[in-house]
């Protein structure tokens, strides 16, 4: 499963959903980690952009997936607010792998900028990626899964040189992780529209995109009220290995839909 968790804003629906579905591999973006605070909620402030944030979203998900190995990959460290008190907090993505799947390789790095230790930074902000290579004993094969949260450009989701560069970095990280016989998955909230250069770069690397390729018309829920109904994608190196693929519209657990792949 690949999902942008929206900072845990719909945690009351999302956490039971994850506990029930318990995907063997969960790629989660927009993860908040504030170990200095015991509060359930803090506030993100960026000018007029004010959002509630689940203060320890990473901890919340760990609690409902106790049989998973959890890996948090911070992209930036800034502050959230408890009324007038500034609370140090980290923001990034996370991967959760069921303990029945041996993790035999990992890759972690940045697809845009580098770790921002003194604040979230100017837009477009730092973005990271993480990959795991696991051994699937039932199928007698290795599977590599690499995901990223693509940069957010205040100008929109158009093609830009930084977006092309991050696509190449994501491609290269997947290549670094994978071996020739692996089943390969690349996914994430890419923050681009269908037809983007990002997807062309990944297609040229031999990956097949499943969202639009299988006729799904959106990866957004009704919680997202802006134009543009796509952000999230999942690609594989061999479509013949796909047993099932779905974009999940109900329940609404975020302003993004979960993408669920069975190999």
């Amino acid at each position: 499963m690949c999902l942008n968790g929206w900072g845990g804003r719909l945690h009351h629906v999302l956490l039971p959903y994850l506990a029930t579905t318990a995907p063997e591999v969960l790629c989660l973006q927009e993860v908040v980690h504030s170990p200095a605070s015991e509060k359930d909620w803090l506030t993100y402030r960026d000018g007029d952009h004010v959002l509630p944030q689940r203060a320890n979203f990473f901890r919340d998900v760990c609690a409902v997936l106790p049989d998973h190995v959890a890996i948090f990959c911070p992209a930036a460290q800034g502050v959230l607010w408890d009324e007038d008190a500034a609370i140090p907090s980290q923001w990034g993505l996370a991967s959760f792998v069921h303990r029945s799947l041996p993790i035999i390789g990992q890759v972690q790095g940045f697809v845009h900028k580098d770790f921002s230790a003194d604040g979230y930074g100017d837009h477009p902000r730092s973005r990271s990626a993480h990959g795991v290579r696991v051994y699937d004993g039932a199928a007698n094969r290795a599977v590599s899964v690499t995901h990223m949260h693509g940069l957010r450009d205040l100008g929109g989701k158009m093609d830009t040189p930084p977006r092309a560069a991050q696509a190449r970095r994501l491609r290269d990280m997947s290549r670094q992780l994978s071996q020739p016989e692996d089943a390969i998955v690349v996914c994430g909230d890419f923050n681009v529209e269908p037809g983007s250069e990002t997807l062309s770069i990944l297609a040229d690397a031999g990956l097949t995109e499943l969202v639009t390729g299988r006729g799904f018309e959106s990866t957004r829920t009704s919680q997202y009220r802006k134009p543009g109904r796509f952000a999230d994608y999942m690609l594989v190196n061999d479509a013949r290995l796909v047993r099932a693929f779905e974009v999940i519209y109900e329940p609404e657990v975020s302003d993004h839909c979960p993408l669920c792949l069975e190999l």
Side-chain angles (χ1 to χ4, degrees):
M1 179 185 294
C2 180
L3 173 65
N4 180 317
W6 205 21
R9 289 181 65 179
L10 296 182
H11 79 288
H12 61 290
V13 184
L14 173 56
L15 296 179
Y17 174 74
L18 292 178
T20 300
T21 57
E24 289 179 298
V25 178
L26 170 63
C27 300
L28 191 64
Q29 301 92 46
E30 278 197 32
V31 180
V32 183
H33 181 46
S34 311
S37 175
E38 294 299 320
K39 290 291 184 74
D40 289 333
W41 294 96
L42 296 170
T43 302
Y44 169 78
R45 299 174 185 165
D46 181 14
D48 294 333
H49 199 49
V50 179
L51 293 173
Q53 297 282 283
R54 190 72 182 168
N56 281 291
F57 186 33
F58 179 62
R59 182 185 64 193
D60 293 342
V61 178
C62 288
V64 299
L65 296 176
D67 295 325
H68 287 63
V69 175
I71 304 142
F72 175 65
C73 305
Q77 182 170 271
V79 299
L80 298 177
W81 295 89
D82 180 6
E83 296 183 351
D84 293 329
I87 307 297
S89 182
Q90 298 166 18
W91 181 92
L93 48 78
S95 303
F96 299 82
V97 179
H98 194 273
R99 296 180 189 276
S100 63
L101 292 174
I103 298 173
I104 57 175
Q106 290 190 66
V107 61
Q108 179 180 351
F110 283 80
V111 292
H112 182 68
K113 296 183 177 177
D114 201 348
F115 181 65
S116 178
D118 300 314
Y120 301 117
D122 296 329
H123 292 285
R125 291 171 169 166
S126 299
R127 298 293 169 134
S128 60
H130 181 246
V132 292
R133 185 170 182 250
V134 301
Y135 184 72
D136 178 1
N140 191 29
R141 68 184 174 205
V143 181
S144 75
V145 183
T146 307
H147 70 118
M148 77 165 179
H149 187 186
L151 66 88
R152 175 174 175 256
D153 192 309
L154 297 181
K157 295 182 178 178
M158 64 287 179
D159 289 336
T160 63
R163 280 196 166 114
Q166 79 173 356
R168 295 186 184 100
R169 291 189 185 107
L170 177 65
R171 174 201 64 194
D172 292 348
M173 288 176 67
S174 175
R175 286 175 171 172
Q176 176 187 345
L177 177 68
S178 307
Q179 295 297 319
E181 301 304 316
D182 287 3
I184 298 172
V185 181
V186 175
C187 57
D189 172 8
F190 292 175
N191 261 325
V192 298
E193 294 286 348
S196 71
E197 185 180 10
T198 292
L199 296 177
S200 295
I201 289 168
L202 297 176
D204 289 344
L207 298 172
T208 299
E209 193 274 306
L210 299 176
V211 174
T212 60
R214 299 207 167 198
F216 292 97
E217 297 181 351
S218 174
T219 63
R220 291 292 202 169
T221 71
S222 68
Q223 303 291 325
Y224 186 77
R225 298 180 174 88
K226 300 176 184 177
R229 304 307 301 169
F230 291 92
D232 312 273
Y233 299 91
M234 188 171 284
L235 304 95
V236 295
N237 67 324
D238 187 349
R240 295 171 298 179
L241 299 177
V242 177
R243 297 177 64 182
F245 175 75
E246 293 290 334
V247 177
I248 306 299
Y249 297 104
E250 294 288 343
E252 293 191 350
V253 297
S254 168
D255 62 342
H256 295 253
C257 298
L259 310 183
C260 296
L261 171 68
E262 180 182 356
L263 295 176

